Amino acid sequence: MYDVAVIGGGVVGCTVARFLSKYELKICLLERGTDICEGTSKANSGIIHGGYDAAGGSLKAKLNVRGSRMMEELSLKLSFAYKRNGSLVICRSGQDAGMLQTLYERGVTNGVSGLRIIDKDEIRSMEPNINAAVEKALYVPTGAIADPFMMTVAMAENAAVNGVEFMLRSEVIDIERDDTEYVITTGSGEIRARYVINAAGVYADRIHSMVSRTPVSIRAVKGEYCLFDKEAGGLVSHTLFQLPSEKGKGILVTPTVHGNLMAGPTAITVDDKEGVDTTAAGLKEVLDTAAMSVIGMPSGKVITSFAGLRAKEAGGDFIIAFAADSDNFMDIAGIDSPGLSAAPAIGEYVAELLGRRMDLKEKSGFVEEREAIPSIADASDAERQALIESDPAFANVICRCELVTEAEILEAIRRPVGARTVDAVKRRVRAGMGRCQGGFCSPKVVDILARELGVKPTEILKAGEGSEILKGRNKERPCDTE
Amino acid sequence: MNACDIVIIGGGPAGLAAAESAFKAGVTDIMILERDSRLGGILNQCIHNGFGLHTFREELTGPEYASRYERKIRELGIPYSTETMVTDLGTDESGDKLITCMNRQRGMYRIKARALILAMGCRERPRGAVNTPGYRGAGVFSAGTAQLYVNIHGYMPGKTVVIVGSGDIGLIMARRMTLEGAKVRMVVEIMDHSGGLKRNIIQCLNDFGIPLKLSHTVTEIRGKDRVEGVVVASVDERRRPIPGTEEYVECDTVLYSVGLIPENELTRKLGAGIDDKTGGPVVKADLELSIPGVFACGNVLHVHDIVDHVSEESAHAGENAAAYIRDGRVPEGAGGYVDSEEKNVYRPGENEDRLTCIMCPNGCELTAVKDDDGKVKVSGNRCPKGVRYATEELTAPRRIVTTTVKLEGGGIEALPVKTDRTIPKDKISDVIKELTGVSVTVPVSTGDVIIHDIAGTGADIIAGTDITADTDID
């Protein structure tokens, strides 16, 4: 019997679990995937928005601004990459410059500090490669970038250290109310909990409807992205937004915290909530639109493209509330942008809402901090020497592009909520994130996973169920010569 | 800090040839740095034959070619350090080169060298480089990655395969996947001709009835968790897919062979210029970069078609580096760049009756036509072997079969093997059938007979490399 069951292991679910793990609560987190961070959290812009975009008074505005203010300190406590690079909302000649003023005013109302509307010369001094057609921009100094994978993993690891039980491969099939508790049927068994928190992303409506008749409607809005080689990482230093439209914040161009260049996302509503495929039209739109922001977009230096689905609720705002017709069932639904930015504030807010229903007692011995897996790539030569002396596996380079060693991969596997798949390793230590996209390292990562987990290489998954990388031994089938 | 005359980064074909020639030119204080656990580089996984016609005047497999050079390195006593990663390069005020390395035994250390030879090779362009839309499930591999899985690990990355790109690696992998038990549905090539050698079109595709779809591309990959199929479409003269020509092809695997890029991350740390066209460092005619005493050779400089040219070019780099050590400069007219003459690429309807003779390094371009009586008329040959070769190729083609058998008792689970002589082409599947289920236990030495008189062909199956219980998977 759990006090709280959190459904969904994305950045929201993991962050909520982490914030609730401060209290004397028995908590479990249910995730259908083979790893946390397998949905929207793994395919988004990685932007920590300033908070000028959401309408004043909305939950989005409030939690974005608060989350953005919490982020830097959290990134230091939990060791995930964060960089306040500042953002620019750009306005080209012929576009509505009044829109910048509107955004500025909205930002001031929302409590965003340091906003300024700047002119061509100042923009050019900040971004030499800006498209010549750009006339004005809203400068948002609090805009930042973060590593969404590591933020999610850091929250999960820290939550686990503080007692949260993570149940992967546990898709919620049904929820029933049994007197004062919920009975949750999952693909891997039955869970009982007094409180249920629905952080199921694009499926939050399905989970909600298992216990409630009130309407929650989540549509999936696909966003496609192109990621570029680090060679192109210096093209811009700020995050460059187009003027927002009713479709969203538009296609941005940004450096990533790891030094790549990224462009995206598109915004197309799709019916298929598993539809994370990229399209020729979408990728073209990304590259064409990015070229309107920046000159010299290096389309030949794309190393991968991907798509994610944002969970858009019909009302447009986040829904974070107890269901009206089902006691102690809380929805965290419609968390599209700025969900990543708001996540810490969502965690805090959920604790506050829960505290109104139950007596939350702070736990003694709460571990507030999490250490990063040591990174050879980021270490100085002296630090590398010390790491190799502590464990020679730090000298065994597995991923050449990103300089990731065997020791780092082993730790990613051995940590709480450890990596079980090739993609899970990739998210935690960046093996396979580089320009060869796992060409050199993935066979070695498969071997290390198989050895460490005590399974055959043919059982190792790339990501989801059915994503085995290998299909058997050589010569298991006859040679077909015709 | 260690010091030596010449440091060579990379122990593949380029680095080994450079080391040998520098040594023979009188500079014996050399260190080869290799990041894998054995020398040989990419040749270790290139278990097919066709290497060495120029250098050794015989046809060798990749591991055999590599082992010839390794033997020379050992005989000359040239030191090398494996499992050693170079993490940084620089120069000091006296012009010496500083090489920062990392390995298990020594941690971080530096070597000071008077001359430096860059021989880091190249890497494959992945799917992302051509930005194929669709899902990103398992089953999408660079061709070389698949080659590593099959030839070194002994595992199949898929059972039903579409190959994108008809460069030589794509063609070689079409045959490899077929021999090891996969169905290769087609090879898709966006250009109107194949960039691969015509010999590979014949021996890797035609021998197995694998279609080559020229002027086609994959426009979409389907299957969220694992590849389920691809959409293939014709392209116009600007390589854009033509709407309405789409065809869905079921498969569980897509292999990409869409080009190689010289691996110059370290070169950039030296502040050297990179040539946009080749992707390699800018060098003078004698292979020296703008930084005195730094030379580049092999695929790090420009991507070569055949390894023999890599060896030849790298020997020049070794000699020139030795001259630099000896005299402080490379003499006028020293050897440099080695590139292919125009290679015999495949275009449909063009030169269909042309053959490149592989009996000797002359590589004569033969024209061979079979008349109605089955008699073969050959021209273009410079010696009688050409007639013999063309006649056999047109009437009763014979092949060396290279493949793998299961290896037990060591870290490596696949042993490369080959027939010790050619066998009739139509016996290939019988040979493979007889090898199914065969396993060998370490240690194995090159040339060990695994099966006598396989499938009644008179040929023996022999081991293609040396493997002990300690040989590592890299």
Side-chain angles (χ1 to χ4, degrees):
Chain A
M1 171 74 173
Y2 293 91
D3 296 312
V4 181
V6 179
I7 300 172
V11 69
V12 172
C14 292
T15 304
V16 165
R18 190 263 175 186
F19 275 83
L20 294 183
S21 70
K22 289 179 182 175
Y23 305 100
E24 297 279 358
L25 293 171
K26 190 169 156 59
I27 304 168
C28 67
L29 184 144
L30 305 171
E31 164 57 45
R32 70 173 182 145
T34 55
D35 188 25
I36 51 167
C37 200
E38 270 287 352
T40 307
S41 305
K42 78 169 174 186
N44 60 77
S45 311
I47 305 295
I48 306 306
H49 296 280
Y52 57 83
D53 186 60
S58 65
L59 208 45
K60 272 187 180 175
K62 175 181 144 186
L63 296 175
N64 181 351
V65 173
R66 171 74 187 142
S68 148
R69 284 190 191 137
M70 294 167 75
M71 201 63 79
E72 183 165 21
E73 194 191 335
L74 263 179
S75 75
L76 296 171
K77 277 186 182 162
L78 297 176
S79 306
F80 59 87
Y82 165 89
K83 185 181 176 192
R84 189 171 297 171
N85 65 325
S87 35
L88 294 171
V89 186
I90 57 175
C91 178
R92 292 189 302 274
S93 58
Q95 285 186 311
D96 177 15
M99 185 74 188
L100 288 183
Q101 188 62 33
T102 311
L103 290 176
Y104 171 84
E105 284 160 15
R106 208 186 283 167
V108 170
T109 311
N110 292 349
V112 184
S113 51
L115 294 175
R116 279 196 300 130
I117 291 178
I118 60 175
D119 63 16
K120 207 166 181 162
D121 290 344
E122 192 171 357
I123 301 170
R124 201 139 347 285
S125 72
M126 291 166 85
E127 289 296 345
N129 297 312
I130 198 84
N131 189 309
V134 174
E135 296 282 344
K136 279 189 180 313
L138 174 66
Y139 174 46
V140 188
T142 54
I145 47 181
D147 176 344
F149 318 125
M150 277 321 295
M151 178 175 163
T152 309
V153 169
M155 294 291 176
E157 278 185 16
N158 188 239
V161 163
N162 286 303
V164 175
E165 292 174 44
F166 281 78
M167 301 176 185
L168 301 174
R169 297 174 142 171
S170 299
E171 182 170 8
V172 172
I173 297 162
D174 193 24
I175 307 173
E176 277 180 37
R177 184 89 177 142
D178 179 12
D179 195 18
T180 60
E181 60 195 64
Y182 287 98
V183 182
I184 307 171
T185 309
T186 77
S188 63
E190 209 177 81
I191 301 291
R192 286 174 170 264
R194 287 166 59 209
Y195 288 82
V196 174
I197 295 176
N198 169 18
V202 290
Y203 292 107
D205 51 354
R206 183 194 290 180
I207 299 294
H208 171 87
S209 65
M210 288 176 185
V211 299
S212 170
R213 287 160 184 275
T214 61
V216 169
S217 164
I218 305 291
R219 287 178 310 152
V221 180
K222 186 193 284 185
E224 299 185 35
Y225 293 87
C226 291
L227 184 73
F228 299 78
D229 194 294
K230 286 180 176 175
E231 273 175 30
L235 194 68
V236 298
S237 54
H238 299 79
T239 302
L240 305 183
F241 291 94
Q242 305 274 333
L243 278 179
S245 69
E246 70 285 353
K247 282 171 78 181
K249 295 188 187 73
I251 287 168
L252 59 85
V253 179
T254 188
T256 70
V257 277
H258 297 290
N260 296 88
L261 179 75
M262 190 166 74
T266 54
I268 306 283
T269 303
V270 293
D271 293 331
D272 180 5
K273 289 186 174 178
E274 300 293 314
V276 290
D277 54 329
T278 56
T279 62
L283 297 177
K284 183 173 187 303
E285 186 189 339
V286 169
L287 295 174
D288 289 352
T289 315
M292 290 196 264
S293 300
V294 185
I295 46 173
M297 279 302 289
S299 57
K301 287 197 161 45
V302 172
I303 59 171
T304 189
S305 54
F306 59 92
L309 300 176
R310 296 91 117 180
K312 195 166 193 63
E313 211 280 324
D317 201 2
F318 294 160
I319 297 177
I320 304 176
F322 283 104
D325 55 351
S326 192
D327 271 354
N328 302 339
F329 179 95
M330 193 195 295
D331 289 304
I332 309 176
I335 312 297
D336 57 349
S337 180
L340 186 75
S341 321
I346 294 174
E348 209 180 51
Y349 184 57
V350 167
E352 184 192 322
L353 294 183
L354 207 57
R356 292 181 201 160
R357 295 259 175 126
M358 65 195 294
D359 190 20
L360 287 182
K361 263 206 297 285
E362 282 195 28
K363 196 188 270 180
S364 65
F366 172 70
V367 180
E368 202 181 3
E369 297 190 356
R370 166 209 173 257
E371 299 237 340
I373 296 174
S375 162
I376 282 285
D378 297 339
S380 67
D381 283 354
E383 290 165 337
R384 286 175 180 174
Q385 177 66 30
L387 285 168
I388 296 166
E389 278 169 19
S390 75
D391 181 355
F394 276 111
N396 185 16
V397 175
I398 303 295
C399 168
R400 299 161 177 182
C401 300
E402 298 290 310
L403 206 67
V404 183
T405 64
E406 183 185 2
E408 292 159 66
I409 293 171
L410 288 173
E411 190 162 344
I413 298 169
R414 291 169 184 170
R415 283 210 171 192
V417 205
R420 294 292 175 268
T421 66
V422 173
D423 278 4
V425 167
K426 177 176 166 180
R427 280 192 287 275
R428 284 163 177 78
V429 293
R430 297 187 56 74
M433 285 279 189
R435 55 171 63 98
C436 91
Q437 287 288 297
F440 280 116
C441 69
S442 60
K444 296 184 184 199
V445 172
V446 167
D447 262 1
I448 293 171
L449 276 166
R451 195 180 72 210
E452 194 65 10
L453 303 175
V455 301
K456 293 182 188 138
T458 44
E459 294 173 58
I460 298 300
L461 301 174
K462 176 179 185 287
E465 309 288 352
S467 70
E468 282 82 3
I469 287 170
L470 299 171
K471 289 278 186 181
R473 299 296 303 260
N474 293 357
K475 293 198 177 61
E476 284 178 352
R477 299 197 314 179
C479 165
D480 180 356
T481 53
E482 279 315 315
Chain B
M1 196 186 321
N2 302 47
C4 64
D5 283 341
I6 302 179
V7 161
I8 299 172
I9 306 178
L16 298 183
E20 184 203 9
S21 70
F23 191 96
K24 288 187 170 163
V27 177
T28 55
D29 184 13
I30 300 172
M31 171 55 83
I32 304 169
L33 302 171
E34 166 56 44
R35 59 189 171 188
D36 273 347
S37 59
R38 48 180 173 162
L39 297 175
I42 203 67
L43 288 173
N44 288 321
Q45 69 179 62
C46 298
I47 68 167
H48 53 281
N49 63 328
F51 301 95
L53 275 168
H54 296 252
T55 312
F56 298 108
R57 309 211 150 235
E58 57 182 306
E59 225 184 1
L60 303 172
T61 65
E64 287 168 345
Y65 187 98
S67 71
R68 300 253 172 135
Y69 274 95
E70 286 169 51
R71 204 173 308 138
K72 292 183 195 188
I73 297 301
R74 273 195 293 274
E75 281 165 9
L76 297 173
I78 299 174
Y80 58 87
S81 180
T82 53
E83 296 188 309
T84 300
M85 187 83 182
V86 175
T87 58
D88 202 6
L89 292 181
T91 51
D92 68 10
E93 61 287 343
S94 65
D96 283 342
K97 289 77 197 166
L98 300 173
I99 299 104
T100 309
C101 317
M102 177 168 102
N103 70 21
R104 282 170 182 266
Q105 291 74 33
R106 302 178 60 185
M108 301 300 298
Y109 65 102
R110 268 187 168 183
I111 309 175
K112 187 167 165 169
R114 291 168 64 200
L116 174 65
I117 299 178
L118 306 173
M120 292 90 77
C122 60
R123 64 182 162 80
E124 296 182 279
R125 296 172 76 216
R127 166 198 182 170
V130 292
N131 225 351
T132 310
Y135 284 96
R136 299 190 306 138
V140 180
F141 302 89
S142 299
T145 307
Q147 187 178 51
L148 177 73
Y149 273 124
V150 176
N151 293 352
I152 306 288
H153 294 240
Y155 284 91
M156 293 293 279
K159 297 195 163 171
T160 319
V161 184
V162 167
I163 296 177
V164 182
S166 67
D168 289 312
I169 305 173
L171 301 176
I172 293 289
M173 281 312 292
R175 174 177 60 188
R176 175 61 53 220
M177 293 301 287
T178 307
L179 290 174
E180 306 302 337
K183 174 74 188 169
V184 177
R185 298 291 309 268
M186 59 179 65
V187 175
V188 175
E189 171 59 60
I190 199 164
M191 298 188 293
D192 64 359
H193 66 279
S194 166
L197 294 166
K198 188 174 173 197
R199 179 177 88 178
N200 282 335
I201 300 279
I202 295 169
Q203 300 195 4
C204 299
L205 301 188
N206 299 358
D207 276 6
F208 302 97
I210 300 167
L212 171 62
K213 305 268 260 181
L214 296 171
S215 299
H216 279 70
T217 191
V218 168
T219 58
E220 187 188 345
I221 297 177
R222 294 195 188 154
K224 181 172 182 257
D225 293 309
R226 175 82 200 189
V227 173
E228 290 167 8
V230 296
V231 178
V232 174
S234 303
V235 298
D236 63 19
E237 65 287 349
R238 292 178 58 195
R239 300 184 187 177
R240 293 170 308 196
I242 302 170
T245 62
E246 295 87 355
E247 175 198 2
Y248 181 67
V249 181
E250 251 177 58
C251 60
D252 63 18
T253 303
V254 188
L255 301 188
Y256 276 85
S257 172
V258 290
L260 300 167
I261 305 175
E263 199 159 20
N264 276 297
E265 284 62 58
L266 284 172
T267 315
R268 287 193 177 85
K269 295 190 177 181
L270 274 174
I274 301 293
D275 182 322
D276 279 344
K277 193 158 163 279
T278 60
V282 177
V283 293
K284 296 180 284 183
D286 58 11
L287 307 176
E288 193 180 29
L289 278 67
S290 57
I291 304 151
V294 180
F295 299 83
C297 56
N299 282 352
V300 80
L301 181 57
H302 63 110
V303 175
H304 296 65
D305 291 323
I306 62 173
V307 70
D308 302 70
H309 292 156
V310 168
S311 300
E312 194 185 335
E313 179 177 281
S314 304
H316 295 157
E319 280 160 20
N320 298 351
Y324 174 86
I325 296 291
R326 208 175 42 233
D327 311 325
R329 55 180 285 276
V330 183
E332 288 292 319
Y337 231 69
V338 179
D339 209 348
S340 307
E341 297 159 32
E342 203 184 334
K343 66 176 189 174
N344 188 3
V345 300
Y346 174 73
R347 277 176 205 275
E350 227 175 81
N351 301 331
E352 292 279 11
D353 51 1
R354 293 278 289 277
L355 274 178
T356 306
C357 181
I358 57 167
M359 299 299 277
C360 77
N362 284 339
C364 296
E365 290 297 320
L366 310 179
T367 303
V369 189
K370 191 158 76 170
D371 65 21
D372 295 340
D373 307 330
K375 227 171 128 29
V376 177
K377 272 183 149 171
V378 183
S379 59
N381 54 310
R382 278 179 267 177
C383 75
K385 283 191 228 164
V387 179
R388 215 161 69 219
Y389 172 74
T391 306
E392 189 176 281
E393 186 59 34
L394 263 64
T395 54
R398 298 178 68 86
R399 303 283 181 254
I400 295 274
V401 177
T402 64
T403 184
T404 61
V405 296
K406 199 183 263 186
L407 189 63
E408 281 165 5
I412 292 185
E413 294 183 77
L415 172 69
V417 297
K418 68 171 193 176
T419 56
D420 66 345
R421 64 202 73 174
T422 60
I423 59 146
K425 187 191 93 177
D426 54 18
K427 288 278 187 186
I428 293 174
S429 55
D430 294 343
V431 167
I432 296 294
K433 198 168 166 190
E434 196 171 325
L435 284 171
T436 302
V438 169
S439 71
V440 178
T441 307
V442 293
V444 193
S445 300
T446 308
D448 284 0
V449 175
I450 310 297
I451 293 180
H452 281 290
D453 186 20
I454 182 114
T457 58
D460 292 343
I461 290 288
I462 58 171
T465 189
D466 301 327
I467 297 183
T468 67
D470 300 329
T471 310
D472 208 335
I473 198 91
D474 300 324

